[in-house]
């Protein structure tokens, strides 16, 4: 999501400057690669790159091809075969062993539904959405249809006429079947195309309860990751923009009114870091009424057990599988900066439904293959 934000910001800048640009997107990977489908890179006519499609080995060639796309104003599908031992210029630096398809599209600022504008619309609110990208490996030498549709709960947005009625019917049927369950790359041999159904989730929102010194580095690191941080505290002299310049919003509120001021969805997590037991008990009592995937409580396990016991004594039913206390991955963290790293890594693992183990102990590829 951070990459999306950077590309959108760069797009707005280059539009104001009148620079011609192209968007490169990884649309298919067979085997191993540094980036998976959905990785993007914005390229300007004068060679400025935003984002990445690999660890650095493909960018130089993709830059040259993107400049050609800008000049000719025709999309292109490029195949990088890092399994070819005779082609040592690609993948040798990464040890990749895969075939990577990269779609490069010229961007027309006048088209309100160009690929970047669709990406912007996909991330403009907190709804799930699907970006639809159509490409043809079989006819890779021909101009590609490209990123032409965005599916939201309210309907389709984009260049439906570019797809054709018959293929559009298949795409609509597939969208209903997926129902925002995940991404998919589907081959339609009767149309000689592949369609990348890319699930776009809202930005992770972090409800950070506590404006003490230990939450400052956490708010900074969360911003680097592209998370949206809402800071909540009852102390107006602590919860200030001067101390927390990177947070999106600051709410000064008492414990009994704080949660009612918040927007909460399934991409929202909460961190209780106030060092105030009574404040956090009242906040937790309200948070458990929502389906948050992650509620982290700073401090020893005995603290959270005492909080839970108090709430249960009030007759409340506590769902404990989304409570993390002590919060954070066990990385031997010391100090607020390392604790912030530990906590945000745990949040990322929970939202990605991963265990946070060592990658060397994992069998198979690092990234789950998009089928």
């Amino acid at each position: 999501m951070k990459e999306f934000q950077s590309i959108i910001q760069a797009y707005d800048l280059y539009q104001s400057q009148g620079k011609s640009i192209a968007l490169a997107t990884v649309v298919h990977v067979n085997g191993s690669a540094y980036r998976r489908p959905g990785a993007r890179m914005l390229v300007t006519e004068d060679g400025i790159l935003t984002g990445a499609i690999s660890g650095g080995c493909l960018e130089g060639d993709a830059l040259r091809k993107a400049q050609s796309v800008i000049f000719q104003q025709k999309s292109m599908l490029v195949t990088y075969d890092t399994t070819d031992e005779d082609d040592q210029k690609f993948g040798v630096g990464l040890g990749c062993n895969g075939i990577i398809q990269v779609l490069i599209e010229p961007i027309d600022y006048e088209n309100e539904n160009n690929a970047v504008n669709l990406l912007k619309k996909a991330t403009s609110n907190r709804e799930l959405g699907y970006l639809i990208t159509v490409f043809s490996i079989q006819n890779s030498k021909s101009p590609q249809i490209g990123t032409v549709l965005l599916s939201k709960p309210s309907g389709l947005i984009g260049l439906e006429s570019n797809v054709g009625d018959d293929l559009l019917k298949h795409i609509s049927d597939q969208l209903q079947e997926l129902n925002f369950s995940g991404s998919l790359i589907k081959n339609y041999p009767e149309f000689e195309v592949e369609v990348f159904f890319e699930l776009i989730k809202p930005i992770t929102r972090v409800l950070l309860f506590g404006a003490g010194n230990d939450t400052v580095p956490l708010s900074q690191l969360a911003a680097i990751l592209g998370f949206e941080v809402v800071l909540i505290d009852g102390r107006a002299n602590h919860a200030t923009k001067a101390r927390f310049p990177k947070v999106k919003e600051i709410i000064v509120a008492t414990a009994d009114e704080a949660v009612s001021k918040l927007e909460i969805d399934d991409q929202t997590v909460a961190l209780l870091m106030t060092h105030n037991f009574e404040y956090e008990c009242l906040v937790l009592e309200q948070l458990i009424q929502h389906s948050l995937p992650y509620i982290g409580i700073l401090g020893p396990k005995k603290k959270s057990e005492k909080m839970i016991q108090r709430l249960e004594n009030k007759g409340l039913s506590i769902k404990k599988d989304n409570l993390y206390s002590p919060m954070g991955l066990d990385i031997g963290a010391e100090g607020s900066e390392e604790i912030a790293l530990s906590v945000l890594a745990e949040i990322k693992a929970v939202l990605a439904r991963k265990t946070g183990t060592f990658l060397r102990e994992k069998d198979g590829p690092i990234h789950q293959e998009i089928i």
Side-chain angles (χ1 to χ4, degrees):
M1 189 59 69
K2 176 67 172 180
E3 187 169 73
F4 290 177
Q5 295 169 1
S6 298
I7 286 173
I8 291 169
Q9 290 172 2
Y11 171 89
D12 291 339
L13 174 64
Y14 299 141
Q15 184 177 24
S16 69
Q17 296 175 342
K19 283 189 178 183
S20 298
I21 58 175
L23 183 68
T25 305
V26 177
V27 291
H28 191 271
V29 172
N30 184 9
S32 64
Y34 189 81
R35 300 296 306 273
R36 58 180 176 173
R40 288 176 171 81
M41 180 175 74
L42 194 69
V43 183
T44 67
E45 57 186 323
D46 53 351
I48 302 174
L49 307 179
T50 303
I53 56 170
S54 76
C57 57
L58 305 182
E59 275 73 4
D61 184 77
L63 165 61
R64 291 187 289 272
K65 288 183 168 59
Q67 289 174 321
S68 174
V69 164
I70 292 171
F71 178 75
Q72 298 180 27
Q73 287 296 294
K74 292 183 179 179
S75 58
M76 175 189 302
L77 186 69
V78 184
T79 300
Y80 295 104
D81 187 353
T82 63
T83 66
D84 187 355
E85 294 182 358
D86 294 329
D87 191 357
Q88 291 294 301
K89 64 181 178 179
F90 301 127
V92 66
L94 294 173
C96 293
N97 189 34
I99 300 173
I100 306 157
Q101 313 285 347
V102 178
L103 172 69
I104 306 177
E105 306 171 76
I107 301 300
D108 177 8
Y109 291 121
E110 298 299 319
N111 177 9
E112 67 174 355
N113 290 318
N114 66 46
V116 180
N117 274 335
L118 288 179
L119 184 64
K120 186 183 295 189
K121 292 175 183 179
T123 58
S124 64
N125 57 31
R126 300 196 61 80
E127 289 182 336
L128 294 170
Y130 273 105
L131 271 179
I132 310 299
T133 302
V134 183
F135 60 100
S136 175
I137 296 175
Q138 182 175 339
N139 298 309
S140 60
K141 301 299 182 183
S142 302
Q144 304 293 306
I145 295 175
T147 307
V148 290
L149 292 172
L150 168 65
S151 175
K152 287 277 196 175
S154 56
L156 285 174
I157 303 168
L159 305 175
E160 300 178 26
S161 61
N162 287 23
V163 177
D165 292 342
D166 292 339
L167 178 57
L168 183 62
K169 175 63 166 58
H170 283 77
I171 290 173
S172 298
D173 291 344
Q174 185 62 66
L175 286 168
Q176 290 184 358
E177 184 176 331
L178 283 170
N179 194 27
F180 303 107
S181 60
S183 296
L184 175 74
I185 298 172
K186 186 173 179 63
N187 179 33
Y188 292 94
E190 64 271 40
F191 301 103
E192 298 183 347
V193 298
E194 286 76 25
V195 178
F196 180 22
F197 298 85
E198 182 183 4
L199 179 62
I200 307 295
K201 295 181 179 180
I203 296 170
T204 300
R205 177 192 285 136
V206 179
L207 305 179
L208 178 55
F209 291 88
N213 292 336
D214 58 341
T215 62
V216 172
L218 191 144
S219 70
Q220 294 169 339
L221 183 53
I224 291 173
L225 294 173
F227 293 176
E228 176 185 293
V229 181
V230 179
L231 179 70
I232 309 101
D233 198 287
R235 301 165 294 176
N237 60 329
H238 283 68
T240 66
K241 267 293 186 179
R243 299 185 69 234
F244 296 89
K246 299 294 186 180
V247 303
K248 180 178 181 181
E249 183 180 4
I250 295 176
I251 297 175
V252 178
T254 60
D256 56 354
E257 66 181 7
V259 177
S260 64
K261 297 177 178 292
L262 302 171
E263 295 182 20
I264 296 175
D265 55 34
D266 60 5
Q267 291 297 308
T268 299
V269 302
L271 305 178
L272 304 186
M273 301 179 66
T274 67
H275 302 279
N276 184 323
F277 183 84
E278 297 298 331
Y279 190 101
E280 291 182 5
C281 275
L282 287 172
V283 168
L284 182 60
E285 181 176 348
Q286 297 168 77
L287 287 177
I288 60 174
Q289 300 175 34
H290 300 271
S291 298
L292 283 82
Y294 180 99
I295 300 174
I297 305 174
L298 184 68
K301 186 173 291 187
K302 285 186 177 180
K303 171 188 172 182
S304 59
E305 289 175 345
K306 185 178 178 182
M307 293 172 69
I308 291 170
Q309 185 64 56
R310 177 180 290 192
L311 296 181
E312 288 179 338
N313 288 343
K314 295 176 69 173
L316 297 173
S317 176
I318 308 296
K319 176 186 175 184
K320 299 177 183 178
D321 58 353
N322 66 337
L323 295 180
Y324 292 80
S325 178
M327 63 181 183
L329 296 180
D330 184 8
I331 60 173
E334 296 286 348
S336 55
E337 290 81 7
E338 293 179 0
I339 291 171
L341 174 64
S342 167
V343 171
L344 292 171
E346 182 177 58
I347 290 171
K348 173 61 181 174
V350 169
L351 294 180
R353 299 181 181 178
K354 301 294 183 181
T355 58
T357 188
F358 294 113
L359 286 175
R360 70 177 184 179
E361 297 178 0
K362 183 175 181 178
D363 294 328
I366 295 174
H367 299 300
Q368 182 177 354
E369 185 176 356
I370 299 176
I371 300 174

